Amino acid sequence: MSIDVSAFPEHEFTLHGSFRAKPGRGDELEEYLRHLVRLVKSEPGTIFYQVARDQKDRLKFLIFETYAGRAAFQTHLDSQEFQNLWNSNVLDGALEPSLFVAMESA
């Protein structure tokens, strides 16, 4: 798995994304994610990390992540827990997060 982190800022940023489990594997993906959330929250530079499961489409999940910067996000991507999820074969398609940076007040 390879995500090019060079486009991510060196300062605080937030990611939001949606992804799907393969048919019949939603509960399995939820278990991976529950384990991942618990561990990621203790990673250095992780400010916020939350995953939600759609209550109508039980294969759809949303993720909200805030990191102190690019290095913290790279640490997350390199973690064994993330690699286990990525290699689990339960995801249906690619993860394509949207990047957000907080606006300063005027």
Side-chain angles (χ1 to χ4, degrees):
M1 193 276 312
S2 178
I3 294 177
D4 180 9
V5 299
S6 64
F8 291 86
E10 293 184 23
H11 53 82
E12 186 176 312
F13 64 89
T14 297
L15 298 174
H16 168 265
S18 64
F19 51 96
R20 298 185 61 77
K22 289 184 175 178
R25 300 192 73 183
D27 290 342
E28 185 179 354
L29 178 54
E30 181 175 331
E31 285 304 311
Y32 271 106
L33 294 169
R34 285 183 183 278
H35 181 73
L36 183 65
V37 167
R38 188 180 81 248
L39 296 171
V40 170
K41 286 184 175 182
S42 67
E43 288 176 350
T46 300
I47 297 169
F48 182 79
Y49 195 89
Q50 186 172 38
V51 179
R53 189 173 186 182
D54 191 298
Q55 294 303 290
K56 289 184 181 178
D57 180 351
R58 302 294 288 164
L59 297 178
K60 184 177 181 181
F61 295 80
L62 296 176
I63 191 163
F64 307 89
E65 310 168 66
T66 301
Y67 296 96
R70 182 186 313 149
F73 184 51
Q74 185 66 62
T75 296
H76 170 62
L77 295 177
D78 292 342
S79 72
Q80 187 61 55
E81 294 79 18
F82 183 83
Q83 293 299 316
N84 290 346
L85 171 62
W86 188 259
N87 294 318
S88 68
N89 201 31
V90 297
L91 295 171
D92 191 10
L95 298 173
E96 295 184 21
S98 297
L99 172 64
F100 299 89
V101 175
M103 298 182 301
E104 298 294 325
S105 60

